[in-house]
Amino acid sequence: MSYEDRDQYGMYVDNGHKGPGPELMGADTLIGDHVHNLQNEHLGEIKEIMLDMRTGKIAYAVMSSGGVLTIGEKLFAVPWEALTLDTVNKRFTLNLDKERIEAAPGFDKDNWPDMANQTWASQVHNYYGIGGDTRPGVR
């Protein structure tokens, strides 16, 4: 299901490119979007979008991969800057090989990391090749 399918408020109706999206989008419509890599391999699905309340910016997308009906699935905090919205296919693209996402630092739904921890943030940003300031939500 794409963000257009979850659009309860008609935000993405094509009115001659007026309206909010895709330059400005509702977070709720992005949850559930698929994530593919540049080889068109399915990597996972967006489960949550984490906001940095200090900056007001998006810090991470929590992506799930693997498992069946949430059993055995692994969650990943992907820096928002690592994702690209693919408006043609109505999904996100992550420039990462499938093997690399399978080896990525992840967690399960009962053991979330401290995403505000600077050391953790640096490790995650480095893994996904996002340099610069690693404070969540800072570009």
Side-chain angles (χ1 to χ4, degrees), residues 12-27:
Y12 308 121
V13 174
D14 187 359
N15 292 323
H17 301 295
K18 296 177 184 171
E23 291 82 20
L24 186 63
M25 301 182 74

Side-chain angles (χ1 to χ4, degrees), residues 1-14 17 20-34 46 49 80 84-93:
M1 184 180 284
S2 76
Y3 59 83
E4 285 183 330
D5 298 323
R6 288 186 297 278
D7 180 13
Q8 302 178 53
Y9 302 109
M11 294 182 284
Y12 308 121
V13 174
D14 187 359
H17 301 295
E23 291 82 20
L24 186 63
M25 301 182 74
D28 188 45
T29 62
L30 300 175
I31 294 171
D33 275 5
H34 288 222
I46 302 294
I49 295 174
W80 189 249
T84 303
L85 182 66
D86 177 351
T87 57
V88 173
N89 295 302
K90 311 293 189 264
R91 63 187 186 197
F92 284 95
T93 300

Side-chain angles (χ1 to χ4, degrees), residues 38-84:
L38 298 177
Q39 293 76 36
N40 200 31
E41 296 172 309
H42 183 260
L43 300 179
E45 182 178 302
I46 302 294
K47 292 293 187 176
E48 190 60 82
I49 295 174
M50 305 303 291
L51 303 175
D52 183 331
M53 299 309 291
R54 297 164 297 182
T55 65
K57 295 181 181 181
I58 298 174
Y60 302 99
V62 175
M63 182 180 83
S64 68
S65 185
V68 177
L69 300 173
T70 72
I71 298 171
E73 76 181 353
K74 186 175 177 183
L75 300 175
F76 306 90
V78 178
W80 189 249
E81 299 88 351
L83 295 165
T84 303

Side-chain angles (χ1 to χ4, degrees), residues 83-119:
L83 295 165
T84 303
L85 182 66
D86 177 351
T87 57
V88 173
N89 295 302
K90 311 293 189 264
R91 63 187 186 197
F92 284 95
T93 300
L94 176 61
N95 185 11
L96 204 66
D97 291 334
K98 191 169 182 116
E99 297 77 29
R100 188 129 166 91
I101 197 65
E102 290 168 356
F107 54 97
D108 65 49
K109 66 182 177 103
D110 297 322
N111 294 297
W112 283 60
D114 178 2
M115 292 182 180
N117 178 287
Q118 183 62 38
T119 302

